[in-house]
């Protein structure tokens, strides 16, 4: 076969294929990171809206909590 008689050609083909695959993967990773960042922004914005709604008026008539959870994150404690 042509490739077995010309190892340099086979190496060039593999290098071209590697570059092509790496470029495609880089684009997909970038898209995934953009989507993750967008979703994180949406969650933070929603949390701020809910916090302002529930915490702004302490006399707001609310239902009893079904459960209360405590957690620690980075040395900070929280409750929900």
């Amino acid at each position: 076969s042509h490739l077995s008689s010309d190892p340099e050609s086979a190496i060039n083909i593999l290098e071209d294929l590697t570059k092509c695959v790496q470029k495609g993967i880089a684009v997909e990773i970038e898209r995934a990171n953009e989507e993750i960042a967008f979703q994180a922004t949406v969650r933070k914005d929603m949390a701020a809206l809910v916090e302002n709604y529930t915490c702004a008026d302490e006399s707001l008539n609310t239902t009893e909590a079904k459960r209360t959870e405590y957690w620690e994150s980075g040395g900070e404690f929280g409750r929900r």
Side-chain angles (χ1 to χ4, degrees):
S1 122
H2 174 68
L3 291 178
S4 62
S5 63
D6 187 3
E8 191 172 314
S9 178
I11 291 171
N12 288 337
I13 290 170
L14 285 174
E15 286 175 353
D16 290 345
L17 178 62
T18 300
K19 288 177 188 175
C20 178
V21 170
Q22 285 176 339
K23 187 175 183 179
I25 290 173
V27 169
E28 290 303 315
I29 289 173
E30 184 177 348
R31 285 184 189 153
N33 285 337
E34 288 172 358
E35 180 64 24
I36 290 167
F38 170 75
Q39 290 180 15
T41 300
V42 169
R43 283 192 302 274
K44 287 177 184 176
D45 291 347
M46 289 175 62
L49 291 172
V50 171
E51 180 180 19
N52 286 340
Y53 174 77
T54 58
C55 298
D57 184 358
E58 293 184 11
S59 65
L60 181 66
N61 186 14
T62 58
T63 58
E64 290 293 320
K66 291 186 178 184
R67 69 177 186 249
T68 301
E69 299 177 23
Y70 296 88
W71 72 93
E72 180 180 355
S73 175
E76 296 181 18
F77 290 94
R79 181 183 128 191
R80 76 174 165 186

